[in-house]
Amino acid sequence: MKAPYNNIYNILKLNRFIVLAVVIFAFLFSIFSLWMAFSTNKRALNSAFAINTDGSIIPLKLITQKENFRVEALAHLELFHTYFYNIDASNYERNLEKALWLGNSSVDNLYRQKKADGVYNRLLQYSLVQKVQSIDSRLTESNGSYSFTTTTIFEINRGSIIDTYELVSTGSLIMVDRNFPNNPHGLLITDYFENILKKLNNENRADNRHLKNHSNEMSHKNLGY
């Protein structure tokens, strides 16, 4: 004979309490899981990871990433301007080849323009020595994109005459894969343009000149490669 239920209402209340507790617990657990996922994603967006020499993972904060990018960008710009403008008859081919690895077609087009204008032929013909004295670059960030303005001071040694010039150039930087030793910083110069050239050691000709409108004149009289 089946045992009768003594207090079915109490049993139903207990069952309802258990079901309600399970539902509430599941809801709270879901909220907690969503919060953990959101927090983890937020931390991941503000961090990157690198592999240490011992194989351990090193978190890099976003601010550190930006600081490292700025350091590498300045080093990349200094490397490019040194290769592109610190040239003479013995090293210009080697230096220009290295410089072309650091920029896109805008750099290559400038190189071809200078070559067509006879810049490098005059470098050989007159045994000119162009030596970079200083490179000062300024970076500007806008919506995650970086542009730069670089002031390069260089001198041209014509034997008995040494002229000093200030060149202001502009462009942008994009990230690419590192390529050792050709592109160690993993950056590429785009939209490169030589804007203004100023002769420093001759007051009568110290006014700014726009290279685009006077490229031939400056190649023969000012730069005299």
Side-chain angles (χ1 to χ4, degrees):
M1 182 176 179
K2 294 183 179 180
Y5 291 105
N6 295 326
N7 197 340
I8 192 171
Y9 292 105
N10 291 337
I11 295 175
L12 291 176
K13 286 181 181 181
L14 180 61
N15 289 341
R16 195 168 91 180
F17 173 78
I18 294 173
V19 171
L20 187 61
V22 170
V23 171
I24 293 175
F25 177 79
F27 177 76
L28 293 176
F29 183 78
S30 299
I31 296 296
F32 177 76
S33 299
L34 291 174
W35 178 80
M36 287 294 295
F38 175 78
S39 299
T40 303
N41 182 65
K42 187 176 181 180
R43 286 195 300 269
L45 290 176
N46 290 330
S47 304
F49 298 93
I51 305 299
N52 199 359
T53 54
D54 59 359
S56 60
I57 298 178
I58 307 173
L60 303 175
K61 295 299 181 182
L62 183 60
I63 185 66
T64 305
Q65 286 182 297
K66 290 184 177 180
E67 290 175 354
N68 290 344
F69 176 86
R70 182 171 295 274
V71 170
E72 294 215 53
L74 293 176
H76 183 86
L77 292 172
E78 182 171 358
L79 192 64
F80 166 76
H81 286 85
T82 299
Y83 283 147
F84 202 73
Y85 296 105
N86 198 83
I87 54 176
D88 56 39
S90 65
N91 68 10
Y92 82 97
E93 290 183 332
R94 181 174 64 255
N95 280 8
L96 291 174
E97 181 181 359
K98 292 178 180 179
L100 292 176
W101 276 95
L102 307 178
N104 73 343
S105 58
S106 62
V107 174
D108 183 65
N109 291 338
L110 179 60
Y111 160 73
R112 293 178 184 275
Q113 178 187 337
K114 289 178 179 291
K115 187 176 181 180
D117 291 339
V119 169
Y120 306 117
N121 286 336
R122 285 188 290 277
L123 189 75
L124 294 172
Q125 182 179 356
Y126 300 107
S127 298
L128 303 176
V129 177
Q130 182 170 302
K131 186 176 181 180
V132 172
Q133 300 295 316
S134 66
I135 300 170
D136 180 27
S137 298
R138 291 174 296 168
L139 293 175
T140 303
E141 181 185 6
S142 178
N143 298 325
S145 300
Y146 286 86
S147 59
F148 66 87
T149 300
T150 299
T151 301
T152 305
I153 307 294
F154 62 91
E155 65 179 22
I156 298 179
N157 189 328
R158 298 183 175 90
S160 60
I161 301 175
I162 298 178
D163 292 323
T164 305
Y165 297 91
E166 178 184 271
L167 173 67
V168 178
S169 56
T170 58
S172 302
L173 288 171
I174 60 175
M175 299 183 67
V176 296
D177 292 336
R178 296 178 190 268
N179 185 341
F180 294 96
N182 298 315
N183 191 339
H185 301 290
L187 297 171
L188 198 69
I189 294 173
T190 64
D191 304 320
Y192 185 70
F193 187 73
E194 294 179 334
N195 291 273
I196 300 172
L197 181 72
K198 181 169 66 175
K199 191 173 182 180
L200 298 181
N201 61 335
N202 190 333
E203 294 181 359
N204 294 329
R205 300 175 63 184
D207 53 318
N208 294 346
R209 300 188 178 192
H210 292 271
L211 296 179
K212 184 177 181 180
N213 297 329
H214 305 285
S215 59
N216 291 333
E217 179 184 354
M218 286 189 294
S219 296
H220 290 80
K221 295 182 179 179
N222 289 344
L223 297 180
Y225 296 145

